[in-house]
Amino acid sequence: MSRKRVLVVGGTGYLGQHLLQGFAKSKGKPFDLAFTHHSTNPHQTLLNPISPSTPFHVDLQSGEGLTTISNTFGQPDVIVNCAAMSVPRACEMDPAAAFATNVPTSLVKWMSGFNASAILIHLSTDQAD
Ligand SMILES: NC(=O)c1ccc[n+]([C@@H]2O[C@H](COP(=O)([O-])OP(=O)(O)OC[C@H]3O[C@@H](n4cnc5c(N)ncnc54)[C@H](OP(=O)(O)O)[C@@H]3O)[C@@H](O)[C@H]2O)c1
């Protein structure tokens, strides 16, 4: 059986970093791990504890960078989407960008081209206003 591939989208965020560190501690590392970043390049302090893992630059608003993941890392078996425009004020200032990021159509479209099924875990919030 081939090794599972796990992709954390938004791996540079608060939640994403904790998730990556948790995955990196898994006994025997039974899967290959990759993650995405957007505006910031991943810092060495993030990369060191989760090595080996592969960072990819992705913009969910355009979908830029997603095809590179399937072409080089391979189609993931599990995708955990921790990416978001998470600051409510920024969302209010630019609702179109907030919608394009937080309702990740580009990610779903990309997955719909996979030749095998994959699991998408999408994080949300309980913040109501
Ligand atoms: N933090 C919590 O305690 C908590 C609790 C419950 C639920 N959640 C949910 O979990 C999710 C993540 O929250 P967070 O606090 O971890 O947010 P965060 O720290 O603001 O991280 C957001 C992540 O999204 C990436 N991102 C932003 N815009 C992007 C774009 N256009 N394309 C691709 N990636 C983009 C950021 O990349 P760069 O940093 O590289 O720009 C970063 O990795 C949200 O849906 C939030 O509602 C969070």
Side-chain angles (χ1 to χ4, degrees), residues 66-67 70 75-76 79 104-120:
L66 290 171
T67 308
S70 21
Q75 290 178 2
I79 298 172
T105 313
S106 60
L107 192 60
V108 174
K109 270 192 186 153
W110 175 56
M111 289 182 72
S112 69
F114 286 8
N115 53 24
S117 59
I119 295 169
L120 172 64

Side-chain angles (χ1 to χ4, degrees), residues 13 19 32 35 42 49 53 59-60 68 106-107 111 116 128:
L19 186 62
D32 294 327
F35 68 96
S53 66
D59 185 355
L60 284 183
T68 306
S106 60
L107 192 60
M111 289 182 72

